[in-house]
Amino acid sequence: MKLVEPPSCSTASSIVFIGRNRRGQWVAQQQNGLFGGLFVNRAQAVKYALFENGQHPEMIIELSREIELDMAGEAATFPARRVA
């Protein structure tokens, strides 16, 4: 039997921000910093965000400015546009 790690936001969908950092890497990060990661392309960042937020594309927001991965657990606020 293959075990799959459950999404980090198992109780409710979460807003996930995606965008590029200053190095050009793609960042996906949950609004409150509970999960996040660095990715080589947008498709992988979106795939990760969808897995972690329970397959809710309407809860993914692509940022128009740089975003740095910050796992401090503080709420983020950014000017953004919705992906879905």
Side-chain angles (χ1 to χ4, degrees), residues 33-67:
L34 297 177
F35 60 81
L38 294 174
F39 303 89
V40 295
N41 60 46
R42 182 183 181 275
Q44 290 301 310
V46 170
K47 182 177 177 179
Y48 171 80
L50 286 169
F51 175 78
E52 289 292 345
N53 80 358
Q55 303 297 319
H56 292 278
E58 70 279 6
M59 300 298 287
I60 299 173
I61 298 174
E62 186 170 351
L63 303 176
S64 58
R65 59 173 247 188
E66 288 182 352
I67 177 177

Side-chain angles (χ1 to χ4, degrees), residues 20-34:
R20 290 183 181 245
N21 66 13
R22 70 183 120 192
R23 294 179 194 95
Q25 300 163 311
W26 282 90
V27 174
Q29 182 162 358
Q30 193 264 350
Q31 181 179 17
N32 295 325
L34 297 177

